[in-house]
Amino acid sequence: MKRIMRVLPIQNNQLRIETIGEHCLGEQVLPPIQVTAFPHTMEVQVTDLAGDPVHTIVIRQNGDVEVDP
């Protein structure tokens, strides 16, 4: 069975990703993901399953992507 996921806004800059299906409706796949947009960049805060921040991904308008270690 394929997992179909939906992305729902929680607050201005947070998203919740959960599954859709008969057997797993509303099951949260990942902790909330924080996305912040600036005029020429977007930042995505990646967390572990405990909800602790692990990485920040910066996506620039020119297509460059940076990930902090």
Side-chain angles (χ1 to χ4, degrees):
M1 180 173 108
K2 290 184 180 180
R3 290 179 112 182
I4 300 172
M5 292 179 243
R6 63 181 170 192
V7 179
L8 303 167
I10 298 174
Q11 298 174 354
N12 290 342
N13 62 346
Q14 288 191 336
L15 303 171
R16 176 183 166 99
I17 300 174
E18 58 184 40
T19 57
I20 301 174
E22 291 180 16
H23 305 291
C24 54
L25 180 61
E27 175 186 326
Q28 186 167 337
V29 177
L30 298 169
I33 297 173
Q34 182 167 323
V35 179
T36 307
F38 298 101
H40 301 287
T41 62
M42 179 182 291
E43 290 184 3
V44 180
Q45 181 75 40
V46 180
T47 59
D48 61 14
L49 293 176
D52 299 322
V54 179
H55 294 291
T56 299
I57 301 169
V58 178
I59 305 167
R60 302 199 183 283
Q61 188 177 20
N62 65 4
D64 290 345
V65 177
E66 298 173 14
V67 180
D68 69 345

